[in-house]
Amino acid sequence: MLARLFLILMLLVGGARAQAADWVGAAAGPGSFPLAADGAAARIVTDPADHAVVQIAATDLRADIARVTGASPGGTAQVWIGTLGRNAAIDGLVASGRIDVSRLRGAWESFLIQTIDRPAPGVRQALLIIGSDRRGTAYGAYELSQAIGVSPWHWWADVTPLHRDALHVSPGTRRFGPPSVRYRGIFLNDEDWGLVPWAAGTHAPDEPPLGPKSYARVFELLLRLKANLLWPAMHRITRPFNADPANAALADRYAIVMGSSHAEPMLRNNVGEWTAPVADFDYAKNPGGVGAYWRERVATNARYESVWTLGMRGIHDSGMVGPTSMADKRATLERIFADQRAMLRDHGIERAPQVFMPYKEVLDIYRAGLTVPDDVTLMWPDDNFGYIRRFPNAAERARPGGSGIYYHLSYLGAPLSYLWLSTTPPALIREEMGRAWDRGARMMWVANVGDLKPAELATDYFLRLAWDVEGTRARPIDDVVAQWADENIAPGQGARIAPLFAAYHRLNFARRPEHLQWYLPGEKAHPSPLDIAQADARLAEFARLEAATDALTPSIPAARQDAFFELLAYPVHASAAANRRVFAAEAHDRLRDTDLAGATARGRMAWAADAQLRALTRRYNRDLAGGKWRGMMAMEPADGQWRSYRMAAPLLPSADAPLPGPRSGATSPAPAPTVAPIIVAPDRFAVSAGWRKVDGLGRQDGVLASDGSGAARVRINLPQGSWRMVVDILPTYADADGGPLRLVVAVDGRRQRIDIPRTTGDRDWADAVLDNRITMPVPTRLDGGAHRIALEGAGEPLLVEAVRFLPERMLDGSLH
């Protein structure tokens, strides 16, 4: 009961979006506030002395009310929006004791929304939106916008608000904040294939991409999502953010904190701003030149709210130039820390937030004893595929600078990139980021969202989790997604849509659309390990998903059809077609010598899938919202760039071969009989303390999570024969830095511990992140009959997807 009361309190106080619309309705009630009624909207009032972002948010709220109701300002009621200490009218109410702001004073990014009668002469009723600071006030205005039916994605995903004749706010006080994570934001990255072509050719062709017109839309989205931090796009194709002073000034108007990635120390975009030879980007040999380059940015941006990235890597996502030994690398970085912090001190911003990211090879330098100043945030990376490599230990948790997480929802790099469709399950975000939170990474969370579209759901969930960790992760994923679908696709259809997203994430978790080749660049091409029947079963699941998605179309309001296509229909149909294209082409090659008719039919299926993919993408780029997104969507592989990190273009069979009839006397060979593996899904296990069942993740509609203790037990009855057991786990990392994943497996009471080493970058790691699975063989042969199986924690957390029993003679070829 206590836990339930705590959850309700978190939803009310923390401002969870599930409750947002409950306090705004179409009908007036006792004491309710008429935000819009009888064609008249309440007047929105701010103080000219307040921050620029407050004026921006107030203007957006005024426009949002008009979008929803069509009403024009003219009502007798007023909405007062202001920041404590910056709004004279609100400060007067505080001074007179009419409102209680004790919980707002000194709070970070917090706000309240409160009705009040007769706050001033001639004002019958007012709705107060009061922020503890400038962002808190802006968040309050956008919270009201969302409560009346304006999605944060109204512009970025064409979520057109649905009409409401009137809007009445229930009386009372609602408090929101402070956020769970202090700095919460996104990284626009690998923008070559979407954001830049779209901005340059469609959205803002009159300015070098990306410029203020594009960033203004990004900043508004961040505020509506209650985020506060942006790492701007930084590839060579993009004009560096700070090369145009208008960008930084605009970020300050929107109260967005600007930072930069692990490869861009001191807010410098090296690929666009370092014009000297690459060899000169060597602090050991050229400290004067590199130091002057950094000091220039400190001088221009010291007046803005920024997070300063410390340290040094190469010009673009590569190792530091110069030092070769680990000792020299460590000493050079420590010297760089001291000099960079001196630059900040010289400009009076030594207390500005600073961050150091031990990303890729830099993590090895940190492990070798690198000393990082205690007030600098340590930002731990994932392995680029959603699995966090390292968590803060007890000593690191005690540092005043705290810890953060840099997390990927999109990635360009080895072993294969994923830049096209967003397929990271929200449940994986919840498990990994929740685990990071529990281990003290609470200062800064940044998600690499690539081109932002089509990562709307994943981005939204990541930031909602960062705002309210406990309240968000307490809710089942399907509930969160259903609510999100109600808000962004079709009201009342969320319960039908959530299972479609679940199936989409489950199928693509087994293999992302960008990873539908089972060889790495530079290797000899070879087909998938799925035989034709297995591939057909996968394609049948995609076909059912497509049919269910199409069946929704009549239930989607006309104003939301574009949003429906962008958020659900395109990802579903595109991923299904990508699978058909690959597996039909494989089937053609396998049948070509034995079943020409069947091979030809499969070849035509592959070509049809390819044509469908192109048609879907053409519709996205040319037809949606009157051509608004032209240039945004590029299906993988988009071109020949970065070939060492990207899948090859599919080789389709000839499209011109006639479809022959069966030859007299010729028959296709019958498939060899096989004994299917027996899969024991997580829901069959009985769990004790230390284990829990996790929804929304894995191939079996859930996984088992172990905190390193307790046991999960199941009884099975195997058919006659000789069997081997494997345990499938997700490729997470141990709490102990660099340690193996461990599991104790007991078979009929006989216990054995299995250790799985985790070395980021090796072939086992590559196979694991492409499969989203590690297979742990259990070295015990089992005969047919009844058996007792227990999975016991061995000190390290892990996620178990399933237990499989394989006929012994199939073991070597059946680990997929």
Side-chain angles (χ1 to χ4, degrees):
M1 184 64 182
L2 184 60
R4 178 177 175 81
L5 289 174
F6 175 76
L7 174 58
I8 292 172
L9 181 64
M10 288 298 296
L11 292 175
L12 292 175
V13 175
R17 293 173 183 153
Q19 303 298 318
D22 292 351
W23 45 276
V24 178
S32 64
F33 174 82
L35 188 62
D38 301 321
R43 181 185 169 204
I44 295 177
V45 182
T46 60
D47 191 318
D50 215 329
H51 301 280
V53 71
V54 175
Q55 315 301 337
I56 292 170
T59 298
D60 285 345
L61 176 59
R62 191 176 294 114
D64 290 345
I65 295 170
R67 286 188 184 101
V68 172
T69 66
S72 301
T76 59
Q78 296 183 4
V79 179
W80 292 9
I81 306 176
T83 309
L84 283 182
R86 298 293 290 259
N87 185 296
I90 289 175
D91 290 343
L93 292 175
V94 174
S96 66
R98 295 207 57 196
I99 54 176
D100 177 12
V101 296
S102 58
R103 290 167 55 186
L104 282 185
R105 293 192 186 280
W108 179 257
E109 297 181 345
S110 301
F111 61 96
L112 63 79
I113 300 177
Q114 175 180 342
T115 56
I116 188 171
D117 293 330
R118 305 197 179 281
V123 181
R124 183 179 63 83
Q125 194 177 20
L127 180 68
L128 308 179
I129 300 177
I130 308 173
S132 61
D133 52 30
R134 59 178 182 161
R135 279 188 294 276
T137 308
Y139 293 158
Y142 289 120
E143 183 73 25
L144 181 57
S145 284
Q146 187 161 359
I148 69 174
V150 179
S151 165
W153 299 97
H154 78 99
W155 193 88
W156 277 99
D158 301 303
V159 183
T160 304
L162 302 180
H163 179 79
R164 301 172 75 176
D165 289 332
L167 298 168
H168 295 270
V169 179
S170 299
T173 300
R174 293 162 185 87
R175 304 180 186 277
F176 302 78
S180 297
V181 179
R182 190 172 183 86
Y183 293 104
R184 314 163 304 284
I186 63 173
F187 178 21
L188 300 176
N189 195 214
D190 306 317
E191 65 277 9
D192 311 46
W193 300 280
L195 276 176
V196 167
W198 162 77
T202 304
H203 179 63
D206 56 335
E207 64 184 17
L210 297 166
K213 290 183 180 178
S214 300
Y215 278 118
R217 290 296 184 180
V218 175
F219 296 154
E220 178 196 335
L221 174 68
L222 292 176
L223 291 176
R224 288 182 183 269
L225 293 172
K226 297 190 185 69
N228 60 10
L229 176 65
L230 178 68
W231 294 355
M234 47 74 69
H235 272 215
R236 191 178 300 278
I237 194 173
T238 306
R239 186 183 189 189
F241 180 85
N242 287 296
D244 184 351
N247 284 332
L250 186 70
D252 186 60
R253 281 179 47 78
Y254 275 86
I256 296 299
V257 183
M258 294 305 301
S260 55
S261 75
H262 52 85
E264 304 171 278
M266 306 302 282
L267 300 183
R268 275 295 199 178
N269 180 315
N270 299 321
V271 297
E273 295 186 305
W274 180 260
T275 57
V278 172
D280 289 349
F281 198 62
D282 182 341
Y283 204 74
K285 295 180 180 178
N286 186 27
V290 177
Y293 171 70
W294 289 336
R295 278 192 296 273
E296 180 183 12
R297 181 53 36 79
V298 177
T300 59
N301 286 52
R303 63 186 181 276
Y304 299 130
E305 192 176 3
S306 305
V307 173
W308 296 86
T309 298
L310 304 186
M312 189 176 191
R313 294 187 72 219
I315 293 296
H316 188 188
D317 204 0
S318 57
M320 183 169 50
V321 176
T324 54
S325 73
M326 190 60 72
D328 286 346
K329 292 176 182 179
R330 188 176 66 242
T332 301
L333 273 180
E334 290 174 356
R335 175 188 175 191
I336 288 170
F337 291 154
D339 292 349
Q340 289 171 335
R341 285 161 64 82
M343 297 173 196
L344 299 178
R345 184 171 59 251
D346 291 345
H347 286 81
I349 54 171
E350 65 273 14
R351 296 178 66 85
Q354 301 154 48
V355 63
F356 171 67
M357 280 166 274
Y359 181 71
K360 289 188 175 179
E361 79 288 339
V362 185
L363 182 56
D364 292 331
I365 304 175
Y366 180 83
R367 288 168 170 164
L370 179 71
T371 299
V372 181
D374 277 351
D375 60 339
V376 173
T377 299
L378 294 172
M379 195 159 191
W380 306 108
D382 68 348
D383 65 350
N384 306 313
F385 289 82
Y387 300 101
I388 298 173
R389 293 182 64 182
R390 194 185 189 285
F391 300 89
N393 58 32
E396 290 156 349
R397 287 193 289 271
R399 299 172 68 259
S403 289
I405 298 292
Y406 171 41
Y407 193 81
H408 284 76
L409 300 173
S410 173
Y411 181 60
L412 172 65
L416 285 172
S417 306
Y418 55 107
L419 301 170
W420 174 29
L421 301 179
S422 180
T423 51
T424 299
L428 182 62
I429 302 171
R430 177 190 62 194
E431 291 305 305
E432 288 295 278
M433 299 307 298
R435 184 178 170 195
W437 167 265
D438 290 340
R439 284 149 182 79
R442 304 182 175 190
M443 182 62 71
M444 186 181 305
W445 289 8
V446 174
N448 184 324
V449 300
D451 282 321
L452 185 58
K453 294 179 70 64
E456 295 94 342
L457 173 57
T459 301
D460 193 300
Y461 187 77
F462 179 90
L463 292 173
R464 153 186 326 228
L465 195 66
W467 173 262
D468 177 14
V469 171
E470 298 297 354
T472 301
R473 70 175 177 174
R475 300 178 60 201
I477 292 296
D478 277 355
D479 287 0
V480 176
V481 174
Q483 175 218 324
W484 190 84
D486 279 336
E487 294 174 353
N488 293 283
I489 298 177
Q493 298 301 316
R496 293 176 64 192
I497 294 172
L500 304 184
F501 272 114
Y504 169 80
H505 285 118
R506 178 176 56 80
L507 287 167
N508 289 303
F509 188 72
R511 201 77 177 188
R512 297 182 192 263
E514 301 92 340
H515 299 162
L516 292 174
Q517 67 179 48
W518 273 259
Y519 58 92
L520 300 184
E523 296 180 351
K524 184 178 179 180
H526 63 80
S528 75
L530 278 64
D531 61 30
I532 292 177
Q534 291 169 327
D536 282 351
R538 177 172 171 81
L539 296 182
E541 288 196 81
F542 269 113
R544 288 191 290 271
L545 174 58
E546 288 185 283
T549 300
D550 289 341
L552 273 171
T553 303
S555 302
I556 307 299
R560 294 282 179 87
Q561 287 289 336
D562 285 345
F564 170 60
F565 184 79
E566 293 169 51
L567 299 175
L568 180 63
Y570 180 82
V572 164
H573 286 301
S575 58
N579 276 264
R580 275 196 300 276
R581 181 174 63 177
V582 167
F583 290 115
E586 278 192 1
H588 168 277
D589 294 345
R590 286 169 168 167
L591 294 172
R592 186 68 177 77
D593 293 337
T594 59
D595 181 0
L596 184 58
T600 304
R602 296 288 183 150
R604 291 181 176 178
M605 182 188 298
W607 275 100
D610 186 72
Q612 182 190 9
L613 268 177
R614 296 180 188 282
L616 286 164
T617 306
R618 187 164 52 248
R619 177 184 172 189
Y620 201 118
N621 285 318
R622 297 184 183 180
D623 300 336
L624 281 182
K628 175 181 176 181
W629 300 112
R630 189 178 185 92
M632 177 61 79
M633 186 56 59
M635 65 185 192
E636 187 73 358
D639 50 40
Q641 296 188 67
W642 304 91
R643 290 186 180 183
S644 61
Y645 301 143
R646 301 174 77 175
M647 72 175 187
L651 294 176
L652 302 182
S654 171
D656 299 323
L659 182 63
R663 290 176 293 170
S664 176
T667 59
S668 299
T674 60
V675 179
I678 295 172
I679 300 174
V680 182
D683 60 3
R684 288 188 55 188
F685 281 83
V687 298
S688 65
W691 287 75
R692 59 189 170 87
K693 297 180 180 180
V694 175
D695 63 302
L697 193 53
R699 292 163 173 78
Q700 312 299 327
D701 293 321
V703 299
L704 292 173
S706 165
D707 68 1
S709 63
R713 294 180 170 85
V714 68
R715 290 178 178 270
I716 61 160
N717 194 35
L718 294 176
Q720 292 302 309
S722 183
W723 300 82
R724 288 294 180 92
M725 174 182 169
V726 298
V727 181
D728 294 327
I729 63 172
L730 271 55
T732 57
Y733 286 79
D735 274 355
D737 184 26
L741 294 173
R742 296 189 174 99
L743 179 67
V744 172
V745 179
V747 179
D748 298 326
R750 180 184 175 188
R751 302 172 73 252
Q752 46 202 318
R753 195 181 84 178
I754 304 171
D755 288 7
I756 299 292
R758 299 286 284 122
T759 304
T760 306
D762 67 8
R763 184 52 189 256
D764 286 342
W765 167 82
D767 289 341
V769 296
L770 295 178
D771 281 341
N772 277 312
R773 179 167 71 181
I774 295 172
T775 296
M776 305 174 74
V778 179
T780 298
R781 185 179 64 82
L782 288 85
D783 294 325
H787 297 279
R788 293 175 291 110
I789 307 297
L791 309 179
E792 301 175 9
E796 288 294 348
L798 46 78
L799 299 172
V800 176
E801 184 179 69
V803 172
R804 289 184 290 154
F805 296 90
L806 311 174
E808 189 168 29
R809 60 185 174 79
M810 295 174 54
L811 183 62
D812 291 340
S814 300
L815 296 185
H816 295 280

